[in-house]
């Protein structure tokens, strides 16, 4: 893993702040009904992505996740304007407006979704890793899922096969405490989800998911294991989301005081404090970063607003490949 330097902290601050503000804007336009359907936001969990990206080799490593998936492709290198446009349902989006909020994809940047079926991405992540092993690629796949998906039976089937075949995959549970709206302590007789790996003798453990340094170190160790051919790792990132499961979540299962308590260890604030304590940037330089983030969010919004919706015939193009298909009138 590359050394964590002054530039790393500045990049983390800029990127995490942009992801946060990008999704704040999505929340605002969702209320205006410019983004339709479901909308699941990542606010509070940014350190999990920032730390992992630092440990990855973005020229070959892959990522797959659930439907809280807007900022991950941006981190992997996708143009944020295209992501915003996809959420608007515009033709300039990552899937030409046909995927929407829960299904952001970027094959070019090795980001494989965005999956709406809870836990559906877990076996798919192992499949991506199987493909790399079969082809002899020196690549690792990071497969993310939430604490709710950890209760799916497909997790156990996938863990068993991944260990049996020593697949180069890192399973990462982003445990934000509540799945959709049910506390982790109410869904099993234990709260340490990482211990599920013990039954398969899979290297596993908990990680402070609010600290990008801790995340980077844990993911780096797991990636190195995968590259050596030693198989998968299971990491439980203990994190927290400030917003509801989705925009329709009334959040009756927790108090506002609890949310405010977690904001005291906000990953963006933690990184900014380190920048200030070490004089990595002046007040003016920090303000310049803040302004740059604000301007970029506005640019993304304007791009999405100005982009056209898909033409009706695109629906046929996405489903049928044969030009003279006889069953279309």
């Amino acid at each position: 893993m590359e050394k964590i330097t002054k530039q790393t902290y500045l990049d983390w601050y800029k990127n995490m702040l942009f992801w946060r503000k990008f999704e704040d804007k999505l929340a605002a336009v969702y209320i205006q009904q410019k983004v339709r359907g479901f909308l699941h936001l990542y606010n509070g969990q940014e350190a999990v992505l920032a730390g992992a990206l630092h440990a990855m080799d973005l020229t070959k490593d892959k990522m797959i996740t659930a439907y809280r998936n807007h900022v991950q492709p941006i981190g992997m290198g996708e143009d944020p304007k295209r992501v915003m446009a996809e959420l608007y349902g515009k033709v300039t989006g990552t899937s030409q407006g046909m995927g929407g909020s829960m299904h952001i994809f970027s094959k070019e940047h090795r980001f494989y979704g965005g999956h709406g079926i809870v836990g559906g991405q877990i076996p798919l992540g192992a499949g991506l890793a199987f493909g790399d092993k079969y082809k002899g690629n020196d690549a690792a796949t990071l497969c993310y899922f939430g604490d709710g998906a950890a209760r799916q039976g497909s997790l156990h089937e996938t863990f068993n096969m991944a260990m049996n075949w020593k697949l180069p995959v890192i399973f990462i549970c982003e445990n934000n405490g509540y799945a959709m709206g049910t506390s982790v302590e109410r869904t099993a007789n234990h709260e340490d989800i990482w211990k599920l790996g013990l039954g398969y003798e899979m290297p596993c453990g908990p990680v402070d998911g609010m600290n990008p340094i801790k995340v980077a170190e844990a993911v780096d160790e797991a990636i190195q294991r995968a590259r050596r051919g030693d198989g998968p790792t299971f990491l439980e990132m203990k994190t927290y989301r400030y917003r509801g499961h989705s925009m329709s979540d009334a959040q009756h299962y927790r108090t506002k005081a609890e949310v405010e308590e977690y904001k005291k260890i906000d990953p963006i604030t933690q990184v900014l404090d380190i920048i200030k304590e070490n004089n990595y940037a002046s007040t003016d330089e920090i303000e310049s970063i803040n302004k740059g983030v604000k301007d970029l969010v506005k640019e993304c919004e304007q791009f999405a607003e100005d982009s056209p919706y898909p033409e009706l015939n695109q629906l046929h193009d996405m489903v049928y490949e044969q030009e003279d298909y006889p069953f279309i009138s």
Side-chain angles (χ1 to χ4, degrees), residues 8 18 21 34 105 161 210-211 215 269 272 275 279:
T8 307
F18 174 69
K21 297 301 183 182
K34 293 179 179 179
F105 271 74
M161 295 180 77
M210 303 298 276
N211 186 329
V215 173
T269 303
L272 182 58
I275 291 172
N279 295 316

Side-chain angles (χ1 to χ4, degrees), residues 4-233:
I4 296 174
T5 64
K6 164 187 171 180
Q7 191 58 48
T8 307
Y9 285 109
L10 292 173
D11 289 342
W12 275 346
Y13 175 68
K14 177 182 177 181
N15 291 336
M16 290 195 294
L17 183 64
F18 174 69
W19 301 336
R20 177 78 57 85
K21 297 301 183 182
F22 183 90
E23 291 209 313
D24 285 346
K25 175 57 68 175
L26 288 177
V29 296
Y30 183 87
I31 294 171
Q32 298 170 24
Q33 297 188 338
K34 293 179 179 179
V35 171
R36 302 297 185 95
F38 294 100
L39 185 68
H40 307 83
L41 303 177
Y42 205 61
N43 300 49
Q45 301 182 208
E46 293 91 352
V48 177
L49 177 59
L53 290 172
H54 184 75
M56 295 173 69
D57 183 340
L58 298 185
T59 66
K60 58 185 177 183
D61 293 335
K62 300 178 176 67
M63 186 180 291
I64 186 170
T65 188
Y67 39 77
R68 204 176 300 278
N69 70 136
H70 312 133
V71 298
Q72 290 88 343
I74 296 172
M76 294 284 285
E78 183 56 80
D79 186 341
K81 294 194 294 295
R82 296 188 67 220
V83 176
M84 182 76 79
E86 183 61 36
L87 281 139
Y88 269 68
K90 297 299 185 71
V91 73
T92 52
T94 50
S95 294
Q96 298 180 49
M98 305 294 282
S101 168
M102 296 202 293
H103 305 287
I104 308 295
F105 271 74
S106 180
K107 183 178 179 182
E108 177 187 359
H109 296 285
R110 289 163 291 282
F111 180 74
Y112 293 90
H115 294 268
I117 297 175
V118 176
Q121 73 278 15
I122 299 174
L124 295 178
L128 290 168
F130 176 83
D132 282 327
K133 180 162 187 175
Y134 184 81
K135 295 176 182 177
N137 298 333
D138 182 32
T141 295
L142 273 65
C143 178
Y144 289 88
F145 51 92
D147 45 284
R151 310 309 182 192
Q152 291 285 350
S154 58
L155 176 140
H156 297 278
E157 297 168 342
T158 303
F159 276 18
N160 184 59
M161 295 180 77
M163 282 299 293
N164 197 31
W165 293 341
K166 288 185 166 32
L167 299 182
V169 55
I170 298 93
F171 299 106
I172 299 176
C173 175
E174 293 185 272
N175 181 2
N176 59 31
Y178 288 104
M180 284 183 68
T182 303
S183 173
V184 168
E185 64 186 15
R186 295 178 59 198
T187 61
N189 69 338
H190 65 91
E191 294 183 44
D192 294 319
I193 295 175
W194 63 269
K195 290 182 179 178
L196 294 175
L198 296 176
Y200 304 92
E201 297 185 2
M202 184 185 298
C204 53
V207 181
D208 179 359
M210 303 298 276
N211 186 329
I213 303 168
K214 298 296 184 183
V215 173
E217 291 171 347
V219 172
D220 176 62
E221 183 179 347
I223 287 178
Q224 296 312 315
R225 168 180 162 79
R227 296 207 205 285
R228 291 194 305 268
D230 293 338
T233 301

